[in-house]
Amino acid sequence: MPAKGQGDSLKRISKFLALILRHDPGAGNIRLDAEGWAEVEHVLPALATRFGDFDRARLEEVVRTNDKSRYAFNPKGDKIRANQGHSVPVDLGLPAVEPPPVLYHGTAARFLGRILEQGLNKGKRHHVHLSPDIATALNVGGRRSGETIVLEVQSRKMQGHSFFRSANDVWLTDHVPPQFLRVLPLSIPPR
Ligand code: HQG
């Protein structure tokens, strides 16, 4: 556990890592390879520029304590990448796997009309992100303002759609057509 007072700074560091490892490697003057890996020896100076002295032990702490296990080192430990959530083109090399019968997607009630018309779209990301359980979906949806809703996805029935499971247990797919969606009758007050 991070010491009291360190939580905020760990969060800021994680946000900057998300920026450079998912969306804009140039912002940290680093490069991602085809599978999304960056050299740790390039990432450390990028972090040091923002946050002062930054050694490997501190980076390991950020990775280990991250609330959603967003980052991972390669087995040798000389590279780091985001486990999912990229907008830059990378191929994580995840195998397609059979999903559980149902998955969940938490979102804001104000998006529901369009979602039921168009299905779930991946937007800027590589995939639509789905959660393995309702509690996680509520957290994801709760990031948005207004009332949170949870959609149940009939994942096993989605013939012809590949599913991938990220290292941090996020389920990924290209698109969810509306006929595989059902709004769960949960009542979550707006934040
Ligand atoms: C919505 C976080 C209108 C969708 C989380 C979502 C997750 C539509 C938003 C990960 C739509 C996209 C991903 C349609 C989808 N019409 N709105 N047809 N289709 N949407 O952030 O799933 O903290 O790209 O419901 O924990 O919210 O980044 O996706 O509200 O795992 O590690 O469009 O991001 O993880 O938003 O979140 P996002 P998401 P991290």
Side-chain angles (χ1 to χ4, degrees), residues 1 22 34 41 51 78 87 102 113 115 145 170 183-184:
M1 276 299 275
R22 289 173 170 178
E41 63 177 32
F51 303 106
D78 59 343
S87 58
V102 293
I115 290 174
S145 61
V170 176
V183 186
L184 287 189

PDB file of all heavy atoms in Angstrom, residues 1 22 34 41 51 78 87 102 113 115 145 170 183-184:
ATOM      1  N   MET A   1       0.836  -1.201   0.000  1.00  0.00           N
ATOM      2  CA  MET A   1       0.000   0.000   0.000  1.00  0.00           C
ATOM      3  C   MET A   1       0.872   1.253   0.000  1.00  0.00           C
ATOM      4  O   MET A   1       1.838   1.324   0.764  1.00  0.00           O
ATOM      5  CB  MET A   1      -0.856   0.035   1.278  1.00  0.00           C
ATOM      6  CG  MET A   1      -2.141  -0.762   1.208  1.00  0.00           C
ATOM      7  SD  MET A   1      -3.256  -0.183  -0.053  1.00  0.00           S
ATOM      8  CE  MET A   1      -4.126   1.120   0.809  1.00  0.00           C
ATOM      9  N   ARG A  22      -0.366   4.809 -23.870  1.00  0.00           N
ATOM     10  CA  ARG A  22      -1.578   4.454 -24.613  1.00  0.00           C
ATOM     11  C   ARG A  22      -1.871   5.399 -25.777  1.00  0.00           C
ATOM     12  O   ARG A  22      -2.454   4.986 -26.774  1.00  0.00           O
ATOM     13  CB  ARG A  22      -2.807   4.532 -23.711  1.00  0.00           C
ATOM     14  CG  ARG A  22      -2.932   3.475 -22.672  1.00  0.00           C
ATOM     15  CD  ARG A  22      -4.106   3.840 -21.799  1.00  0.00           C
ATOM     16  NE  ARG A  22      -4.473   2.774 -20.904  1.00  0.00           N
ATOM     17  CZ  ARG A  22      -5.448   2.885 -20.011  1.00  0.00           C
ATOM     18  NH1 ARG A  22      -6.137   4.004 -19.930  1.00  0.00           N
ATOM     19  NH2 ARG A  22      -5.748   1.877 -19.226  1.00  0.00           N
ATOM     20  N   ALA A  34       5.698  -2.523 -31.920  1.00  0.00           N
ATOM     21  CA  ALA A  34       4.430  -2.943 -32.527  1.00  0.00           C
ATOM     22  C   ALA A  34       3.472  -3.547 -31.501  1.00  0.00           C
ATOM     23  O   ALA A  34       2.256  -3.492 -31.665  1.00  0.00           O
ATOM     24  CB  ALA A  34       4.703  -3.951 -33.642  1.00  0.00           C
ATOM     25  N   GLU A  41      14.225   2.060 -19.803  1.00  0.00           N
ATOM     26  CA  GLU A  41      15.298   3.068 -19.695  1.00  0.00           C
ATOM     27  C   GLU A  41      14.950   4.378 -20.415  1.00  0.00           C
ATOM     28  O   GLU A  41      15.600   5.398 -20.202  1.00  0.00           O
ATOM     29  CB  GLU A  41      16.642   2.529 -20.197  1.00  0.00           C
ATOM     30  CG  GLU A  41      16.663   2.167 -21.665  1.00  0.00           C
ATOM     31  CD  GLU A  41      18.060   1.700 -22.110  1.00  0.00           C
ATOM     32  OE1 GLU A  41      18.766   1.104 -21.285  1.00  0.00           O
ATOM     33  OE2 GLU A  41      18.420   1.951 -23.277  1.00  0.00           O
ATOM     34  N   PHE A  51       8.312  14.376 -12.704  1.00  0.00           N
ATOM     35  CA  PHE A  51       8.076  14.126 -11.273  1.00  0.00           C
ATOM     36  C   PHE A  51       9.355  14.125 -10.438  1.00  0.00           C
ATOM     37  O   PHE A  51       9.348  13.712  -9.297  1.00  0.00           O
ATOM     38  CB  PHE A  51       7.347  12.783 -11.100  1.00  0.00           C
ATOM     39  CG  PHE A  51       6.051  12.717 -11.852  1.00  0.00           C
ATOM     40  CD1 PHE A  51       5.943  11.955 -13.017  1.00  0.00           C
ATOM     41  CD2 PHE A  51       4.937  13.432 -11.427  1.00  0.00           C
ATOM     42  CE1 PHE A  51       4.755  11.901 -13.728  1.00  0.00           C
ATOM     43  CE2 PHE A  51       3.748  13.381 -12.135  1.00  0.00           C
ATOM     44  CZ  PHE A  51       3.650  12.624 -13.287  1.00  0.00           C
ATOM     45  N   ASP A  78      12.785  -5.327 -18.833  1.00  0.00           N
ATOM     46  CA  ASP A  78      13.406  -4.131 -19.432  1.00  0.00           C
ATOM     47  C   ASP A  78      12.398  -3.318 -20.249  1.00  0.00           C
ATOM     48  O   ASP A  78      12.737  -2.263 -20.771  1.00  0.00           O
ATOM     49  CB  ASP A  78      14.621  -4.516 -20.291  1.00  0.00           C
ATOM     50  CG  ASP A  78      14.276  -5.466 -21.418  1.00  0.00           C
ATOM     51  OD1 ASP A  78      13.187  -6.095 -21.379  1.00  0.00           O
ATOM     52  OD2 ASP A  78      15.085  -5.609 -22.346  1.00  0.00           O
ATOM     53  N   SER A  87      -5.082   4.186 -27.767  1.00  0.00           N
ATOM     54  CA  SER A  87      -5.659   4.798 -28.973  1.00  0.00           C
ATOM     55  C   SER A  87      -4.628   4.787 -30.100  1.00  0.00           C
ATOM     56  O   SER A  87      -4.999   4.922 -31.261  1.00  0.00           O
ATOM     57  CB  SER A  87      -6.167   6.207 -28.686  1.00  0.00           C
ATOM     58  OG  SER A  87      -5.137   7.025 -28.185  1.00  0.00           O
ATOM     59  N   VAL A 102     -22.177 -14.029 -20.261  1.00  0.00           N
ATOM     60  CA  VAL A 102     -22.537 -12.608 -20.254  1.00  0.00           C
ATOM     61  C   VAL A 102     -21.377 -11.777 -19.728  1.00  0.00           C
ATOM     62  O   VAL A 102     -20.587 -12.230 -18.911  1.00  0.00           O
ATOM     63  CB  VAL A 102     -23.790 -12.287 -19.397  1.00  0.00           C
ATOM     64  CG1 VAL A 102     -25.043 -12.877 -19.980  1.00  0.00           C
ATOM     65  CG2 VAL A 102     -23.599 -12.701 -17.965  1.00  0.00           C
ATOM     66  N   GLY A 113     -29.753   6.020 -25.494  1.00  0.00           N
ATOM     67  CA  GLY A 113     -30.514   6.083 -26.742  1.00  0.00           C
ATOM     68  C   GLY A 113     -29.647   5.712 -27.935  1.00  0.00           C
ATOM     69  O   GLY A 113     -30.008   4.844 -28.740  1.00  0.00           O
ATOM     70  N   ILE A 115     -26.752   4.182 -27.908  1.00  0.00           N
ATOM     71  CA  ILE A 115     -26.195   2.822 -27.795  1.00  0.00           C
ATOM     72  C   ILE A 115     -27.230   1.799 -28.260  1.00  0.00           C
ATOM     73  O   ILE A 115     -26.896   0.849 -28.978  1.00  0.00           O
ATOM     74  CB  ILE A 115     -25.739   2.541 -26.347  1.00  0.00           C
ATOM     75  CG1 ILE A 115     -24.500   3.383 -26.023  1.00  0.00           C
ATOM     76  CG2 ILE A 115     -25.438   1.060 -26.153  1.00  0.00           C
ATOM     77  CD1 ILE A 115     -24.034   3.308 -24.576  1.00  0.00           C
ATOM     78  N   SER A 145     -20.546  11.644 -15.851  1.00  0.00           N
ATOM     79  CA  SER A 145     -21.498  12.406 -15.037  1.00  0.00           C
ATOM     80  C   SER A 145     -22.921  11.906 -15.291  1.00  0.00           C
ATOM     81  O   SER A 145     -23.205  11.320 -16.339  1.00  0.00           O
ATOM     82  CB  SER A 145     -21.389  13.891 -15.395  1.00  0.00           C
ATOM     83  OG  SER A 145     -21.694  14.073 -16.745  1.00  0.00           O
ATOM     84  N   VAL A 170      -9.843  -7.050 -18.431  1.00  0.00           N
ATOM     85  CA  VAL A 170     -10.842  -6.288 -19.189  1.00  0.00           C
ATOM     86  C   VAL A 170     -11.133  -7.111 -20.444  1.00  0.00           C
ATOM     87  O   VAL A 170     -10.215  -7.629 -21.084  1.00  0.00           O
ATOM     88  CB  VAL A 170     -10.300  -4.900 -19.581  1.00  0.00           C
ATOM     89  CG1 VAL A 170     -11.303  -4.149 -20.458  1.00  0.00           C
ATOM     90  CG2 VAL A 170      -9.988  -4.076 -18.333  1.00  0.00           C
ATOM     91  N   VAL A 183     -30.573  -3.642 -20.817  1.00  0.00           N
ATOM     92  CA  VAL A 183     -30.308  -2.718 -19.700  1.00  0.00           C
ATOM     93  C   VAL A 183     -30.682  -3.411 -18.398  1.00  0.00           C
ATOM     94  O   VAL A 183     -31.796  -3.914 -18.260  1.00  0.00           O
ATOM     95  CB  VAL A 183     -31.148  -1.427 -19.828  1.00  0.00           C
ATOM     96  CG1 VAL A 183     -30.744  -0.424 -18.758  1.00  0.00           C
ATOM     97  CG2 VAL A 183     -30.984  -0.815 -21.206  1.00  0.00           C
ATOM     98  N   LEU A 184     -29.760  -3.454 -17.460  1.00  0.00           N
ATOM     99  CA  LEU A 184     -30.064  -4.087 -16.180  1.00  0.00           C
ATOM    100  C   LEU A 184     -30.904  -3.148 -15.324  1.00  0.00           C
ATOM    101  O   LEU A 184     -30.660  -1.942 -15.291  1.00  0.00           O
ATOM    102  CB  LEU A 184     -28.782  -4.429 -15.422  1.00  0.00           C
ATOM    103  CG  LEU A 184     -27.973  -5.600 -15.960  1.00  0.00           C
ATOM    104  CD1 LEU A 184     -26.856  -5.943 -14.979  1.00  0.00           C
ATOM    105  CD2 LEU A 184     -28.826  -6.821 -16.214  1.00  0.00           C
TER     106      LEU A 184
END
